[in-house]
Amino acid sequence: MALVQRKLWKQASLEEIKDFIIEEYKKQSENPCPVDKMRVFTDSTRRTSCGECVICREGILQLNVITEAISQGKGRDGDIEILTEISDDLILGSCCDYGKEVGKITKRIIEESKEEFEKHIKRKRCDALVCKKFFSYYVAPEKCSGCNKCVEECPQKAVAGSKDLIHIIDSSICDRCGKCTAVCKAAAIQKAGAIIPKLPLEPVAVGSFKIEPQNGGGLMAGRRRRRRS
Ligand code: SF4
Ligand code: SF4
Ligand code: SF4
């Protein structure tokens, strides 16, 4: 397999290589998180590198290892600089256009999304709620119909509840596989970042949980600010 790919990439035209790599990149076009986008892109392109030159073989692997760590909440100061440096090395030092084109794309992702990378590394936040380490699933009590489908679907047995009760996800057990979201017709299973809404502590009858007004609700809700005369 590796030998076939080596012959292919070295013999391939720049256009063929570009088409292949852009196609790989496009598979992530709907992914709103640049860190995860780069993680998946480098995982696929490292597998199709022929591996003949060290910078392409090890460089793409390192890009993948570092972005994986960042997405797992293990990002460190200096990671962005290392990712940029490896991308530059790929552009300059790869034996053929395959490594160079991968480097150009990874460098562009970092340049365009530096702020998002920093949030993942320094604040342990993924604003797009894509990186599993940075979000949890919860059941929105006002939406849950108590159908019990999520309990049947969950491989981790992380959902508590039975028919006609508002269900609850135990995020210490949940591995964020997302399978329950596919069966929840009520779209009650949602993602939360650092702030988790108020939820029942245990399964209660559907319709019995009242959501308290947030700040800004109550007496002043909907009122206009009084103007100075
Ligand atoms: S840059 Fe080197 S390792 Fe990468 S595909 Fe080309 S020849 Fe193979
Ligand atoms: S995301 Fe997966 S593990 Fe978590 S509650 Fe849903 S089905 Fe269970
Ligand atoms: S699948 Fe959705 S609506 Fe049904 S019990 Fe689970 S969270 Fe509630």
Side-chain angles (χ1 to χ4, degrees):
M1 169 72 178
L3 188 61
V4 175
Q5 288 291 358
R6 179 171 69 229
K7 282 184 180 169
L8 278 177
W9 297 133
K10 277 196 147 178
Q11 291 167 5
S13 69
L14 175 58
E15 286 316 305
E16 282 174 275
I17 291 174
K18 271 186 172 173
D19 285 351
F20 177 85
I21 288 172
I22 286 168
E23 221 31 65
E24 284 303 304
Y25 183 59
K26 273 194 193 156
K27 289 177 188 168
Q28 291 300 305
S29 59
E30 302 289 311
N31 188 340
C33 172
V35 173
D36 194 61
K37 187 184 278 193
M38 185 144 147
R39 181 187 69 77
V40 179
F41 175 69
T42 51
D43 187 46
S44 65
T45 48
R46 83 183 169 83
R47 292 172 195 276
T48 42
S49 154
C50 82
E52 186 183 280
C53 54
V54 176
I55 181 57
C56 176
R57 186 180 68 233
E58 294 300 320
I60 303 176
L61 174 65
Q62 281 310 307
L63 291 177
N64 181 244
V65 168
I66 295 168
T67 45
E68 173 80 42
I70 296 173
S71 75
Q72 294 281 331
K74 295 174 190 159
R76 295 185 296 202
D77 283 348
D79 277 354
I80 296 174
E81 289 71 20
I82 295 171
L83 291 172
T84 307
E85 208 174 298
I86 297 172
S87 301
D88 282 335
D89 289 346
L90 279 166
I91 297 167
L92 291 172
S94 294
C95 294
C96 81
D97 286 315
Y98 180 90
K100 291 180 196 296
E101 291 304 311
V102 171
K104 283 180 196 168
I105 288 186
T106 56
K107 188 166 180 183
R108 201 173 73 214
I109 298 174
I110 302 161
E111 282 173 351
E112 287 176 354
S113 312
K114 201 170 173 194
E115 204 181 319
E116 275 307 307
F117 275 78
E118 276 168 355
K119 276 186 199 166
H120 282 70
I121 294 167
K122 294 196 168 88
R123 296 165 69 186
K124 308 298 174 201
R125 248 177 67 178
C126 172
D127 283 352
L129 302 182
V130 169
C131 298
K132 288 182 178 180
K133 192 74 185 172
F134 303 127
F135 74 84
S136 57
Y137 281 112
Y138 71 96
V139 175
E142 73 282 11
K143 291 193 167 186
C144 179
S145 67
C147 70
N148 209 41
K149 290 258 176 356
C150 51
V151 171
E152 293 158 19
E153 191 68 17
C154 178
Q156 302 297 327
K157 305 209 180 313
V159 191
S162 54
K163 208 95 175 106
D164 300 325
L165 295 182
I166 295 170
H167 286 51
I168 295 173
I169 294 174
D170 183 342
S171 52
S172 67
I173 304 173
C174 169
D175 68 0
R176 283 92 169 139
C177 70
K179 286 183 178 163
C180 54
T181 61
V183 296
C184 181
K185 297 267 188 307
I189 301 170
Q190 299 180 2
K191 288 178 177 178
I195 299 166
I196 296 166
K198 196 168 176 351
L199 302 170
L201 297 174
E202 56 187 29
V204 293
V206 167
S208 67
F209 183 77
K210 298 284 169 262
I211 298 170
E212 290 168 13
Q214 301 289 313
N215 289 345
L219 289 174
M220 292 301 290
R223 290 196 182 181
R224 283 195 187 163
R225 191 177 291 213
R226 192 182 293 171
R227 290 190 184 174
R228 287 178 183 216
S229 53

PDB file of all heavy atoms in Angstrom, residues 14 17 25 29 37 40 55 62 75 85 91 94-95 98 120 124 131 133 186 189 205 210 219:
ATOM      1  N   LEU A  14       0.843  18.027  -9.874  1.00  0.00           N
ATOM      2  CA  LEU A  14       0.424  18.914  -8.790  1.00  0.00           C
ATOM      3  C   LEU A  14      -1.105  19.000  -8.743  1.00  0.00           C
ATOM      4  O   LEU A  14      -1.706  18.990  -7.668  1.00  0.00           O
ATOM      5  CB  LEU A  14       1.042  20.302  -8.996  1.00  0.00           C
ATOM      6  CG  LEU A  14       0.617  21.393  -8.007  1.00  0.00           C
ATOM      7  CD1 LEU A  14       0.948  20.993  -6.563  1.00  0.00           C
ATOM      8  CD2 LEU A  14       1.277  22.716  -8.340  1.00  0.00           C
ATOM      9  N   ILE A  17      -2.582  15.913  -7.081  1.00  0.00           N
ATOM     10  CA  ILE A  17      -2.340  15.943  -5.622  1.00  0.00           C
ATOM     11  C   ILE A  17      -3.277  16.958  -4.970  1.00  0.00           C
ATOM     12  O   ILE A  17      -3.918  16.669  -3.966  1.00  0.00           O
ATOM     13  CB  ILE A  17      -0.861  16.268  -5.334  1.00  0.00           C
ATOM     14  CG1 ILE A  17       0.021  15.093  -5.760  1.00  0.00           C
ATOM     15  CG2 ILE A  17      -0.645  16.589  -3.858  1.00  0.00           C
ATOM     16  CD1 ILE A  17       1.515  15.341  -5.666  1.00  0.00           C
ATOM     17  N   TYR A  25      -9.947  17.625   2.526  1.00  0.00           N
ATOM     18  CA  TYR A  25     -10.241  18.802   3.347  1.00  0.00           C
ATOM     19  C   TYR A  25     -11.735  19.136   3.308  1.00  0.00           C
ATOM     20  O   TYR A  25     -12.345  19.483   4.311  1.00  0.00           O
ATOM     21  CB  TYR A  25      -9.406  19.981   2.859  1.00  0.00           C
ATOM     22  CG  TYR A  25      -9.581  21.223   3.683  1.00  0.00           C
ATOM     23  CD1 TYR A  25      -9.303  21.224   5.047  1.00  0.00           C
ATOM     24  CD2 TYR A  25     -10.035  22.411   3.108  1.00  0.00           C
ATOM     25  CE1 TYR A  25      -9.476  22.368   5.819  1.00  0.00           C
ATOM     26  CE2 TYR A  25     -10.207  23.557   3.867  1.00  0.00           C
ATOM     27  CZ  TYR A  25      -9.925  23.520   5.218  1.00  0.00           C
ATOM     28  OH  TYR A  25     -10.108  24.649   5.978  1.00  0.00           O
ATOM     29  N   SER A  29     -15.808  20.288   5.660  1.00  0.00           N
ATOM     30  CA  SER A  29     -16.303  21.654   5.441  1.00  0.00           C
ATOM     31  C   SER A  29     -17.459  22.025   6.374  1.00  0.00           C
ATOM     32  O   SER A  29     -17.670  23.189   6.683  1.00  0.00           O
ATOM     33  CB  SER A  29     -16.709  21.847   3.981  1.00  0.00           C
ATOM     34  OG  SER A  29     -17.716  20.923   3.661  1.00  0.00           O
ATOM     35  N   LYS A  37     -11.310  19.999  12.983  1.00  0.00           N
ATOM     36  CA  LYS A  37     -11.137  19.929  11.526  1.00  0.00           C
ATOM     37  C   LYS A  37      -9.699  19.518  11.203  1.00  0.00           C
ATOM     38  O   LYS A  37      -9.455  18.627  10.395  1.00  0.00           O
ATOM     39  CB  LYS A  37     -11.433  21.317  10.944  1.00  0.00           C
ATOM     40  CG  LYS A  37     -11.455  21.384   9.459  1.00  0.00           C
ATOM     41  CD  LYS A  37     -11.661  22.821   8.997  1.00  0.00           C
ATOM     42  CE  LYS A  37     -13.107  23.245   9.007  1.00  0.00           C
ATOM     43  NZ  LYS A  37     -13.348  24.500   8.300  1.00  0.00           N
ATOM     44  N   VAL A  40      -8.939  15.808  12.233  1.00  0.00           N
ATOM     45  CA  VAL A  40      -9.453  14.795  11.307  1.00  0.00           C
ATOM     46  C   VAL A  40      -8.685  14.837   9.971  1.00  0.00           C
ATOM     47  O   VAL A  40      -8.332  13.792   9.417  1.00  0.00           O
ATOM     48  CB  VAL A  40     -10.981  14.996  11.065  1.00  0.00           C
ATOM     49  CG1 VAL A  40     -11.500  13.956  10.084  1.00  0.00           C
ATOM     50  CG2 VAL A  40     -11.739  14.906  12.377  1.00  0.00           C
ATOM     51  N   ILE A  55      10.024  14.249   7.010  1.00  0.00           N
ATOM     52  CA  ILE A  55       9.234  15.419   7.380  1.00  0.00           C
ATOM     53  C   ILE A  55       7.749  15.224   7.086  1.00  0.00           C
ATOM     54  O   ILE A  55       6.894  15.604   7.870  1.00  0.00           O
ATOM     55  CB  ILE A  55       9.774  16.719   6.721  1.00  0.00           C
ATOM     56  CG1 ILE A  55       8.946  17.932   7.155  1.00  0.00           C
ATOM     57  CG2 ILE A  55       9.838  16.614   5.210  1.00  0.00           C
ATOM     58  CD1 ILE A  55       8.870  18.140   8.637  1.00  0.00           C
ATOM     59  N   GLN A  62       2.808  14.273  13.737  1.00  0.00           N
ATOM     60  CA  GLN A  62       2.911  15.173  14.894  1.00  0.00           C
ATOM     61  C   GLN A  62       1.784  16.210  14.902  1.00  0.00           C
ATOM     62  O   GLN A  62       1.242  16.533  15.958  1.00  0.00           O
ATOM     63  CB  GLN A  62       4.275  15.883  14.903  1.00  0.00           C
ATOM     64  CG  GLN A  62       5.416  15.028  15.425  1.00  0.00           C
ATOM     65  CD  GLN A  62       5.077  14.369  16.758  1.00  0.00           C
ATOM     66  OE1 GLN A  62       4.682  15.035  17.708  1.00  0.00           O
ATOM     67  NE2 GLN A  62       5.186  13.053  16.823  1.00  0.00           N
ATOM     68  N   GLY A  75      -3.872  20.643  25.639  1.00  0.00           N
ATOM     69  CA  GLY A  75      -3.061  21.598  24.890  1.00  0.00           C
ATOM     70  C   GLY A  75      -2.122  22.350  25.828  1.00  0.00           C
ATOM     71  O   GLY A  75      -2.433  22.554  26.999  1.00  0.00           O
ATOM     72  N   GLU A  85       5.288  25.817  12.925  1.00  0.00           N
ATOM     73  CA  GLU A  85       6.646  25.438  12.506  1.00  0.00           C
ATOM     74  C   GLU A  85       6.626  24.134  11.692  1.00  0.00           C
ATOM     75  O   GLU A  85       7.279  24.030  10.646  1.00  0.00           O
ATOM     76  CB  GLU A  85       7.482  25.221  13.772  1.00  0.00           C
ATOM     77  CG  GLU A  85       8.959  25.482  13.597  1.00  0.00           C
ATOM     78  CD  GLU A  85       9.675  25.375  14.929  1.00  0.00           C
ATOM     79  OE1 GLU A  85       9.364  26.166  15.851  1.00  0.00           O
ATOM     80  OE2 GLU A  85      10.502  24.477  15.065  1.00  0.00           O
ATOM     81  N   ILE A  91       5.982  22.464   4.123  1.00  0.00           N
ATOM     82  CA  ILE A  91       5.963  23.236   2.868  1.00  0.00           C
ATOM     83  C   ILE A  91       7.370  23.291   2.253  1.00  0.00           C
ATOM     84  O   ILE A  91       7.551  23.103   1.058  1.00  0.00           O
ATOM     85  CB  ILE A  91       5.416  24.671   3.121  1.00  0.00           C
ATOM     86  CG1 ILE A  91       3.963  24.592   3.607  1.00  0.00           C
ATOM     87  CG2 ILE A  91       5.523  25.528   1.862  1.00  0.00           C
ATOM     88  CD1 ILE A  91       3.408  25.888   4.179  1.00  0.00           C
ATOM     89  N   SER A  94       9.238  18.900   2.228  1.00  0.00           N
ATOM     90  CA  SER A  94       8.676  17.651   1.702  1.00  0.00           C
ATOM     91  C   SER A  94       9.244  17.315   0.325  1.00  0.00           C
ATOM     92  O   SER A  94       9.501  18.214  -0.484  1.00  0.00           O
ATOM     93  CB  SER A  94       7.147  17.764   1.588  1.00  0.00           C
ATOM     94  OG  SER A  94       6.590  17.887   2.874  1.00  0.00           O
ATOM     95  N   CYS A  95       9.428  16.038   0.082  1.00  0.00           N
ATOM     96  CA  CYS A  95      10.018  15.585  -1.195  1.00  0.00           C
ATOM     97  C   CYS A  95       9.101  15.817  -2.387  1.00  0.00           C
ATOM     98  O   CYS A  95       9.560  15.943  -3.508  1.00  0.00           O
ATOM     99  CB  CYS A  95      10.286  14.090  -1.155  1.00  0.00           C
ATOM    100  SG  CYS A  95      11.516  13.625   0.012  1.00  0.00           S
ATOM    101  N   TYR A  98       2.761  16.473  -2.225  1.00  0.00           N
ATOM    102  CA  TYR A  98       1.755  15.978  -1.274  1.00  0.00           C
ATOM    103  C   TYR A  98       1.959  16.636   0.097  1.00  0.00           C
ATOM    104  O   TYR A  98       1.064  17.278   0.640  1.00  0.00           O
ATOM    105  CB  TYR A  98       1.843  14.449  -1.167  1.00  0.00           C
ATOM    106  CG  TYR A  98       0.827  13.871  -0.212  1.00  0.00           C
ATOM    107  CD1 TYR A  98      -0.425  13.492  -0.668  1.00  0.00           C
ATOM    108  CD2 TYR A  98       1.129  13.717   1.135  1.00  0.00           C
ATOM    109  CE1 TYR A  98      -1.371  12.975   0.206  1.00  0.00           C
ATOM    110  CE2 TYR A  98       0.187  13.203   2.010  1.00  0.00           C
ATOM    111  CZ  TYR A  98      -1.044  12.834   1.547  1.00  0.00           C
ATOM    112  OH  TYR A  98      -1.981  12.326   2.416  1.00  0.00           O
ATOM    113  N   HIS A 120      -9.076  26.768  23.081  1.00  0.00           N
ATOM    114  CA  HIS A 120      -8.968  25.348  23.442  1.00  0.00           C
ATOM    115  C   HIS A 120      -7.792  25.126  24.405  1.00  0.00           C
ATOM    116  O   HIS A 120      -7.893  24.361  25.358  1.00  0.00           O
ATOM    117  CB  HIS A 120      -8.734  24.473  22.205  1.00  0.00           C
ATOM    118  CG  HIS A 120      -9.966  24.210  21.390  1.00  0.00           C
ATOM    119  ND1 HIS A 120     -10.602  25.165  20.652  1.00  0.00           N
ATOM    120  CD2 HIS A 120     -10.671  23.063  21.192  1.00  0.00           C
ATOM    121  CE1 HIS A 120     -11.652  24.636  20.030  1.00  0.00           C
ATOM    122  NE2 HIS A 120     -11.720  23.359  20.342  1.00  0.00           N
ATOM    123  N   LYS A 124      -9.591  26.047  27.817  1.00  0.00           N
ATOM    124  CA  LYS A 124     -10.226  24.717  27.764  1.00  0.00           C
ATOM    125  C   LYS A 124     -11.681  24.845  27.317  1.00  0.00           C
ATOM    126  O   LYS A 124     -12.615  24.375  27.975  1.00  0.00           O
ATOM    127  CB  LYS A 124     -10.136  23.998  29.123  1.00  0.00           C
ATOM    128  CG  LYS A 124      -8.736  23.934  29.723  1.00  0.00           C
ATOM    129  CD  LYS A 124      -7.766  23.172  28.845  1.00  0.00           C
ATOM    130  CE  LYS A 124      -6.341  23.215  29.348  1.00  0.00           C
ATOM    131  NZ  LYS A 124      -5.319  22.926  28.354  1.00  0.00           N
ATOM    132  N   CYS A 131     -15.524  19.359  20.319  1.00  0.00           N
ATOM    133  CA  CYS A 131     -14.526  18.537  21.021  1.00  0.00           C
ATOM    134  C   CYS A 131     -15.154  17.956  22.294  1.00  0.00           C
ATOM    135  O   CYS A 131     -15.618  18.699  23.167  1.00  0.00           O
ATOM    136  CB  CYS A 131     -13.295  19.367  21.348  1.00  0.00           C
ATOM    137  SG  CYS A 131     -12.472  19.977  19.868  1.00  0.00           S
ATOM    138  N   LYS A 133     -14.337  16.683  24.999  1.00  0.00           N
ATOM    139  CA  LYS A 133     -13.866  17.021  26.342  1.00  0.00           C
ATOM    140  C   LYS A 133     -14.523  18.291  26.875  1.00  0.00           C
ATOM    141  O   LYS A 133     -14.574  18.534  28.081  1.00  0.00           O
ATOM    142  CB  LYS A 133     -12.344  17.202  26.270  1.00  0.00           C
ATOM    143  CG  LYS A 133     -11.650  17.270  27.590  1.00  0.00           C
ATOM    144  CD  LYS A 133     -11.574  15.925  28.232  1.00  0.00           C
ATOM    145  CE  LYS A 133     -10.988  16.012  29.628  1.00  0.00           C
ATOM    146  NZ  LYS A 133     -11.092  14.735  30.332  1.00  0.00           N
ATOM    147  N   ALA A 186     -37.924  14.379  20.001  1.00  0.00           N
ATOM    148  CA  ALA A 186     -38.300  15.668  20.570  1.00  0.00           C
ATOM    149  C   ALA A 186     -37.129  16.663  20.566  1.00  0.00           C
ATOM    150  O   ALA A 186     -37.291  17.794  21.018  1.00  0.00           O
ATOM    151  CB  ALA A 186     -38.796  15.463  22.002  1.00  0.00           C
ATOM    152  N   ILE A 189     -32.333  16.253  23.664  1.00  0.00           N
ATOM    153  CA  ILE A 189     -30.964  16.031  24.127  1.00  0.00           C
ATOM    154  C   ILE A 189     -30.055  17.064  23.484  1.00  0.00           C
ATOM    155  O   ILE A 189     -29.923  17.117  22.259  1.00  0.00           O
ATOM    156  CB  ILE A 189     -30.510  14.587  23.829  1.00  0.00           C
ATOM    157  CG1 ILE A 189     -31.463  13.624  24.540  1.00  0.00           C
ATOM    158  CG2 ILE A 189     -29.074  14.372  24.286  1.00  0.00           C
ATOM    159  CD1 ILE A 189     -31.294  12.176  24.168  1.00  0.00           C
ATOM    160  N   ALA A 205     -42.116  13.459  36.705  1.00  0.00           N
ATOM    161  CA  ALA A 205     -43.159  13.306  35.684  1.00  0.00           C
ATOM    162  C   ALA A 205     -43.033  14.377  34.599  1.00  0.00           C
ATOM    163  O   ALA A 205     -42.730  15.546  34.897  1.00  0.00           O
ATOM    164  CB  ALA A 205     -44.531  13.381  36.335  1.00  0.00           C
ATOM    165  N   LYS A 210     -40.709  22.910  36.470  1.00  0.00           N
ATOM    166  CA  LYS A 210     -40.902  24.314  36.063  1.00  0.00           C
ATOM    167  C   LYS A 210     -39.543  24.999  35.958  1.00  0.00           C
ATOM    168  O   LYS A 210     -38.722  24.928  36.879  1.00  0.00           O
ATOM    169  CB  LYS A 210     -41.772  25.064  37.090  1.00  0.00           C
ATOM    170  CG  LYS A 210     -43.173  24.477  37.211  1.00  0.00           C
ATOM    171  CD  LYS A 210     -44.043  24.891  36.027  1.00  0.00           C
ATOM    172  CE  LYS A 210     -45.344  24.122  35.972  1.00  0.00           C
ATOM    173  NZ  LYS A 210     -45.369  22.988  35.063  1.00  0.00           N
ATOM    174  N   LEU A 219     -40.147  40.706  37.279  1.00  0.00           N
ATOM    175  CA  LEU A 219     -40.893  41.953  37.137  1.00  0.00           C
ATOM    176  C   LEU A 219     -40.407  42.828  35.999  1.00  0.00           C
ATOM    177  O   LEU A 219     -41.191  43.510  35.351  1.00  0.00           O
ATOM    178  CB  LEU A 219     -40.790  42.751  38.457  1.00  0.00           C
ATOM    179  CG  LEU A 219     -41.573  42.159  39.619  1.00  0.00           C
ATOM    180  CD1 LEU A 219     -41.277  42.949  40.880  1.00  0.00           C
ATOM    181  CD2 LEU A 219     -43.061  42.180  39.315  1.00  0.00           C
TER     182      LEU A 219
END
